[in-house]
């Protein structure tokens, strides 16, 4: 099975050997109105008859779980209950699911799990998780009829129609209203995720490994920094710099270059010092990050003709959206030669991950049911 394919496990069933796939609030719909997304075409799940089910979005630090149900009309999946758990505080993912179920009056029989990683011999391989996830064993242990596993960015991109534009800061506004088209979701985190949503009935979501593309460092300071990061004639991916570990990697390289002891030991400390202006090396790191992110987003916008817009996802970016907007990001996004006029009409927004992972995972599952 390809790294991005989805898979399902039934209780007692074998899982494919190679496959893959981040106090309860009031229940309600996914964030935003159905028409809020640039493509304006959320999938209706009104005809889907399904009992409430579980949706999970699991990252290295947090696991987000929700009880979901189909919505009415084009309203999208309904969040009936929602909680966030710290992964490191629980002995297993099954323990997290049981803790969530303890607060519910109903007993769901199905789970859709959005997570990054790869699968081998029925086990999800993900170095950022503190425990193993085995979908077939999970189905048996929790007495679930089915456990579906999908890529985390596939899930996030399925949530694109339900993003609330009013709560998603614009980094770059389109000069003119363009024909709705593909949407690209990009997310620096532990790694660098990316996926594209193609409009249609139903829409199609394509995962990608865009983060593994060769980093295009510009002549001058960027190439000087590249020489600090990698040996001559070796591959350096965008993910190597556009991620939490990448931020720390660049910062430590700049400290070595200048003979300084790093004052920051975590990516969050680097970004905080950069915003405060208390560490020149941290500021240069974040400036390089923003420039590279702008170039990367511009390349993806051209590749997919993303007139529906670029969404920069994740809590990390939502905390520095003001810095990104004031940085070289926009100029690097636009600086694509003859394609500059096209890119002027591609909006770029920062979206907070929040409930989008579980909403997107639920939307994917409901789409599958509607197509059967």
């Amino acid at each position: 099975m390809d790294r991005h394919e989805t898979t399902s496990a039934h209780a007692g069933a074998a899982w494919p050997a190679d496959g893959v796939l981040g106090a309860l609030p009031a229940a309600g719909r996914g964030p935003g109105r159905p028409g809020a997304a640039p493509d304006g075409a959320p999938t209706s799940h009104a005809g889907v008859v399904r009992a409430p089910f579980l949706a999970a979005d699991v990252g290295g630090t947090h696991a987000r779980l929700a009880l979901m149900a189909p919505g009415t009309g084009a309203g999208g999946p309904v969040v009936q209950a929602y909680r966030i758990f710290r992964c490191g505080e629980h002995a297993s993912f099954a323990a997290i699911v049981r803790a969530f179920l303890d607060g519910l009056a109903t007993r769901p029989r199905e789970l859709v799990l959005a997570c990054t990683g790869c699968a081998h011999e029925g086990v999800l391989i993900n170095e950022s998780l503190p425990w193993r996830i085995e979908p077939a064993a999970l189905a048996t242990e929790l007495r679930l009829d089915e456990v579906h596993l999908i890529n985390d960015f596939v899930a996030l991109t399925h949530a694109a129609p339900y993003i609330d534009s009013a709560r998603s800061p614009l980094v770059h506004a389109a000069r003119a209203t363009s024909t709705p088209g593909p949407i690209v979701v990009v997310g620096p985190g532990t790694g660098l995720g990316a996926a594209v949503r193609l409009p249609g009935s139903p829409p199609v979501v394509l995962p990608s490994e865009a983060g593994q593309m060769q980093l295009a460092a510009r002549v001058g300071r960027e190439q000087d920094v590249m020489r600090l990061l990698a040996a001559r004639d070796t591959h350096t991916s965008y993910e190597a710099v556009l991620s939490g570990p990448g931020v720390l990697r660049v910062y430590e390289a700049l400290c070595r270059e200048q003979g300084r002891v790093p004052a920051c030991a975590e990516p969050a400390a680097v970004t905080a010092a950069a915003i405060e202006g208390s560490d020149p090396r941290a500021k240069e790191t974040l400036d390089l990050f923003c420039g590279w992110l702008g170039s990367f987003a511009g390349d993806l916008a051209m590749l997919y003709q993303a007139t529906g817009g670029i969404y920069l996802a994740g809590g990390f970016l939502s905390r520095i959206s003001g810095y990104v907007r004031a940085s070289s990001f926009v100029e690097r996004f636009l600086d694509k030669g003859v394609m500059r006029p096209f890119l002027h009409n591609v909006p770029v927004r920062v979206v907070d991950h929040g409930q989008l992972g579980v909403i997107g995972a639920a939307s994917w599952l409901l789409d599958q049911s509607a197509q059967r």
Side-chain angles (χ1 to χ4, degrees):
M1 176 180 280
D2 180 80
R3 178 158 192 238
H4 295 293
E5 288 182 41
T6 56
T7 189
S8 299
H10 304 262
W15 199 47
D18 295 296
V20 182
L21 332 168
L24 297 178
R29 298 199 187 287
R33 294 170 290 105
D39 71 350
T43 302
S44 174
H45 302 130
V48 178
V49 179
R50 176 185 288 276
F53 58 94
L54 297 172
D57 175 22
V58 180
T61 305
H62 295 104
R64 296 170 169 85
L65 268 77
L67 180 68
M68 306 295 299
T72 58
V78 175
V79 180
Q80 296 187 331
Y82 177 77
R83 285 184 66 186
I84 301 174
F85 298 85
R86 290 190 65 85
C87 294
E89 295 177 357
H90 299 269
S92 66
F93 178 63
I96 290 177
V97 177
R98 281 194 293 268
F100 180 71
L101 291 173
D102 284 346
L104 301 181
T106 186
R107 187 74 182 186
R109 303 295 302 174
E110 198 168 9
L111 165 67
V112 55
L113 168 60
C115 189
T116 189
C118 62
H120 179 66
E121 296 182 351
V123 180
L124 177 67
I125 307 300
N126 185 329
E127 293 182 354
S128 66
L129 295 179
W131 15 251
R132 290 157 57 104
I133 293 180
E134 302 179 45
L138 193 64
T140 300
E141 183 176 356
L142 296 173
R143 298 182 181 180
L144 298 171
D145 294 334
E146 287 188 281
V147 174
H148 309 273
L149 185 65
I150 67 171
N151 176 270
D152 58 338
F153 263 80
V154 168
L156 195 56
T157 307
H158 271 282
Y162 312 113
I163 291 172
D164 185 356
S165 296
R167 298 173 59 188
S168 305
L170 264 173
V171 176
H172 172 250
R175 285 186 174 177
T177 303
S178 58
T179 304
I183 294 171
V184 173
V185 180
V186 178
T190 304
L192 177 60
V196 59
R197 183 180 191 271
L198 305 177
S201 298
V204 176
V205 172
L206 302 176
S208 82
E209 284 292 352
Q212 302 308 316
M213 295 191 305
Q214 175 70 34
L215 172 65
R218 295 194 165 188
V219 174
R221 179 57 176 161
E222 288 187 5
Q223 290 196 353
D224 292 340
V225 175
M226 280 288 293
R227 282 188 281 271
L228 301 174
L229 297 173
R232 185 185 179 104
D233 293 330
T234 57
H235 174 74
T236 302
S237 68
Y238 271 103
E239 185 176 81
V241 297
L242 295 181
S243 60
V247 165
L248 195 60
R249 183 179 298 114
V250 173
Y251 172 73
E252 290 174 345
L254 296 180
C255 289
R256 287 195 303 272
E257 179 192 40
Q258 299 175 29
R260 298 297 187 103
V261 176
C264 305
E266 299 290 338
V270 176
T271 57
I275 292 170
E276 293 168 2
S278 61
D279 186 334
R281 287 155 295 283
K283 185 178 187 309
E284 183 177 8
T285 297
L286 199 53
D287 288 344
L288 287 164
F289 176 93
C290 292
W292 280 325
L293 183 60
S295 289
F296 180 66
D299 287 344
L300 295 184
M302 291 188 297
L303 177 65
Y304 294 115
Q305 294 288 287
T307 54
I310 304 287
Y311 286 125
L312 305 177
F316 165 63
L317 287 177
S318 65
R319 291 192 292 271
I320 64 168
S321 59
Y323 194 100
V324 173
R325 190 164 45 246
S327 74
S328 64
F329 174 92
V330 172
E331 179 52 34
R332 292 288 290 270
F333 176 77
L334 296 173
D335 192 15
K336 302 294 181 182
V338 297
M339 293 301 294
R340 191 180 189 96
F342 167 76
L343 292 166
H344 268 301
N345 290 319
V346 177
V348 181
R349 291 184 179 275
V350 174
V351 297
D352 193 359
H353 197 133
Q355 296 184 2
L356 291 177
V358 295
I359 290 166
S363 183
W364 172 85
L365 184 59
L366 295 171
D367 284 349
Q368 303 306 302
S369 299
Q371 293 170 38
R372 289 174 186 168

